[in-house]
Amino acid sequence: MKTGKEYKILVVDDAKDTQLLLEFDLTSAGYHVDCCDGGEQALLTLTEQKIDLVLLDMYMPGLSGLETLEKIKTGSDTTTTVPVIMLSASNEEDEIVTALELGAADYVVKPYNAKILLARIRTAIRLKEKTKQLEYLAKTDFLTKINNRGNFFELSRKVLSLANRAGYPLVVAMFDIDFFKQVNDDYGHDAGDKVLITFAQQLTEVFRDYDIIGRIGGEEFAVCLPNTCVDNAKIACERLRQQVEKTNFSLGKSIDYDNSLKITVSIGLSLAKRGVSSMDELLKQADLALYYAKEHGRNQVINVNDISDEIVTDLVSSTNEQEIEPMHEDQLNNTIYGIDFLVGVNNVLGDEALFKEILVMFYQDHHLDGDKLNAALQEHDIASAKHLAHTLKGVASSVGAMVLFEKTKAFDIAINENKVDDYDHLFASLFPELTKVMQSIEATLDVHGN
């Protein structure tokens, strides 16, 4: 967490004496402070500057505090995540409830107590930082720091949809490090991790900034290349293949064997034909090309369209026959309902104690989300429902609550697409799952700090 001097607070109040008093107290506490007289100016400032927290007066001429708050929380991604603390001389309960339901982080009555206000500011900023970290974990592979499987799919599906509408080409490439199991067996998993990290770095160096790069699982990676023909994609993949082949992968000083090794990579390509709507199907096609590459010598780039239809049919049959042994729940070292413990622990580099702390934070921050969502739906407060669902979706994925993630994702999509008729039955599916997860966390971990 940054120090106070690195945080900027925007004070929005039409009373100059209040501005001066707040500026003095906040500056003395180490914060940068910017002041403005009304809501319109505040909204403009939020688009032009990086603001960490807003202190917003309830009653102002022109755009009121509540109207300004609503615009902040329904605006762009840069404004919706900024915590807002309301300030008012009124202690009217209905106004407080309205402000909190619109997304205010807190409510402070004027004249304020400086120590209490500063404590609430610290709490709001700390919660923002914690949520930001959880959202990062939800989208990022814990080891390589590139997109994880879920975020790769989400980003790629959006790009594929745009490609279909705009009519430009799109290619998906699948990568599999050859004989990677042997690396782990011969040199240990620390060496294997170093290889995966270096390989991911090479992917980010070779491919363009707007190409979507992700770790699909284990030693498998994928790249989605928008607005790219298959010939150019093959050139880029071949460049990556050659770079990997020439690299001495460092294993570090802790390895007892040679401190470097050579690896190769097999690559499969699939071009999205016009009208293709499924990223899953594209990846399956690229995976067939990858399987062909590995079965015919490895260390090569294969386009699925260069394989005959008869061979593709045989490859599909062969891959369908491969069964993966399911992991039983009793193999996990934790039995919290709805939580894939391995997914969650892997997201924090295998630190089980840290993961349990994150689960406690997850409970503390989100165990009332079901009630909040229900209230938002009953009051037709779609902006609040959207914010709650979007945040819960990201955090659920990061802690391994995959069923909850899928149900919240479906609800979030329905809100984004304004499918009002779907709200009730999707929420009816989401709410019991959220309740069971939270009850199980509460029963298993010390969520109340006892």
Side-chain angles (χ1 to χ4, degrees):
M1 186 169 171
K2 294 183 288 188
T3 62
K5 291 182 179 180
E6 294 175 322
Y7 288 108
K8 177 175 278 191
I9 296 177
L10 177 63
V11 173
V12 188
D13 200 307
D14 60 311
K16 290 294 183 181
D17 55 344
T18 302
Q19 285 186 19
L20 291 172
L21 183 60
L22 284 167
E23 185 173 12
F24 175 81
D25 288 335
L26 296 174
T27 302
S28 300
Y31 294 104
H32 292 294
V33 180
D34 200 355
C35 298
C36 63
D37 300 331
E40 295 290 354
Q41 188 179 349
L43 294 171
L44 181 62
T45 301
L46 284 167
T47 62
E48 295 177 344
Q49 299 183 33
K50 185 182 182 306
I51 301 297
D52 293 294
L53 182 138
V54 176
L55 290 177
L56 179 59
D57 185 35
M58 179 72 77
Y59 300 106
M60 297 182 296
L63 204 62
S64 72
L66 287 177
E67 291 170 334
T68 304
L69 173 64
E70 186 172 13
K71 287 183 178 294
I72 290 174
K73 293 303 175 182
T74 57
S76 66
D77 290 341
T78 57
T79 67
T80 56
T81 58
V82 177
V84 178
I85 296 179
M86 303 300 294
L87 295 172
S88 175
S90 170
N91 202 15
E92 174 61 43
E93 288 185 0
D94 289 343
E95 289 182 346
I96 296 174
V97 170
T98 300
L100 294 175
E101 289 181 344
L102 284 173
D106 209 336
Y107 188 103
V108 175
V109 177
K110 295 189 290 187
Y112 65 87
N113 179 293
K115 287 185 178 180
I116 293 176
L117 176 62
L118 289 171
R120 292 185 172 183
I121 289 173
R122 288 193 296 270
T123 298
I125 291 177
R126 187 161 52 242
L127 179 59
K128 175 190 174 185
E129 294 287 338
K130 190 163 55 176
T131 302
K132 184 178 178 181
Q133 290 171 359
L134 289 173
E135 289 178 347
Y136 173 80
L137 289 172
K139 298 178 179 179
T140 308
D141 177 61
F142 73 99
L143 179 65
T144 62
K145 307 308 177 190
I146 61 176
N147 292 306
N148 62 16
R149 180 185 180 92
N151 202 43
F152 173 83
F153 269 85
E154 184 171 349
L155 295 174
S156 298
R157 284 168 179 155
K158 291 178 181 177
V159 170
L160 176 60
S161 177
L162 180 60
N164 285 332
R165 293 198 303 272
Y168 63 65
L170 178 145
V171 177
V172 170
M174 288 284 292
F175 304 78
D176 189 281
I177 298 174
D178 297 326
F179 302 111
F180 184 73
K181 183 178 183 300
Q182 188 174 331
V183 174
N184 282 331
D185 291 344
D186 292 348
Y187 299 96
H189 287 277
D190 285 346
D193 288 349
K194 293 180 187 299
V195 168
L196 293 172
I197 292 168
T198 304
F199 180 74
Q201 290 171 345
Q202 290 180 321
L203 287 173
T204 60
E205 292 167 2
V206 169
F207 292 95
R208 303 165 299 186
D209 290 343
Y210 57 85
D211 292 331
I212 302 167
I213 301 170
R215 184 182 178 195
I216 303 303
E219 68 273 23
E220 280 197 334
F221 296 78
V223 177
C224 178
L225 298 94
N227 201 20
T228 305
C229 67
V230 72
D231 289 338
N232 287 340
K234 192 167 185 178
I235 290 171
C237 289
E238 179 62 26
R239 185 162 63 248
L240 183 279
R241 186 198 66 78
Q242 292 178 12
Q243 181 173 325
V244 170
E245 188 177 33
K246 295 174 182 177
T247 301
N248 288 316
F249 283 77
S250 174
L251 304 182
K253 296 179 181 179
S254 62
I255 306 300
D256 294 332
Y257 302 90
D258 295 336
N259 63 2
S260 67
L261 60 80
K262 294 278 193 177
I263 67 167
T264 59
V265 62
S266 298
I267 306 170
L269 298 179
S270 177
L271 172 67
K273 298 182 175 66
R274 189 171 182 82
V276 172
S277 59
S278 171
M279 181 56 60
D280 293 324
E281 182 59 30
L282 269 178
L283 282 169
K284 287 178 182 177
Q285 292 294 314
D287 204 34
L288 289 175
L290 173 62
Y291 186 77
Y292 181 90
K294 295 184 79 68
E295 287 292 300
H296 292 79
R298 294 181 168 83
N299 191 25
Q300 57 184 313
V301 182
I302 297 294
N303 174 11
V304 72
N305 292 333
D306 293 337
I307 307 173
S308 69
D309 291 341
E310 292 81 4
I311 294 176
V312 169
T313 301
D314 291 341
L315 288 173
V316 171
S317 299
S318 177
T319 54
N320 285 342
E321 289 172 359
Q322 297 178 8
E323 294 185 358
I324 300 174
E325 183 69 22
M327 178 170 288
H328 300 288
E329 190 174 61
D330 57 11
Q331 291 177 274
L332 304 179
N333 51 0
N334 197 288
T335 56
I336 297 176
Y337 172 87
I339 301 293
D340 188 328
F341 200 74
L342 292 182
V343 170
V345 171
N346 283 340
N347 280 340
V348 290
L349 301 176
D351 190 330
E352 182 177 328
L354 176 59
F355 176 57
K356 289 182 178 179
E357 290 182 17
I358 290 175
L359 283 177
V360 170
M361 294 187 325
F362 174 52
Y363 174 88
Q364 293 171 342
D365 295 343
H366 297 282
H367 72 284
L368 297 178
D369 279 7
D371 294 332
K372 293 177 181 178
L373 274 170
N374 185 45
L377 290 177
Q378 295 300 319
E379 297 171 12
H380 306 290
D381 184 359
I382 305 306
S384 294
K386 179 179 179 180
H387 175 71
L388 285 164
H390 182 75
T391 303
L392 180 60
K393 177 187 71 173
V395 181
S397 176
S398 71
V399 300
M402 305 315 296
V403 174
L404 178 60
F405 165 73
E406 292 296 341
K407 291 179 181 293
T408 311
K409 179 181 176 182
F411 185 73
D412 186 41
I413 291 173
I415 292 177
N416 289 333
E417 297 179 354
N418 197 30
K419 295 181 178 178
V420 179
D421 292 340
D422 293 341
Y423 291 174
D424 288 341
H425 79 83
L426 288 174
F427 178 74
S429 174
L430 185 163
F431 186 79
E433 181 69 16
L434 175 61
T435 301
K436 290 178 184 177
V437 170
M438 291 303 177
Q439 287 176 344
S440 186
I441 293 175
E442 184 178 24
T444 307
L445 301 174
D446 181 14
V447 297
H448 302 295
N450 297 325

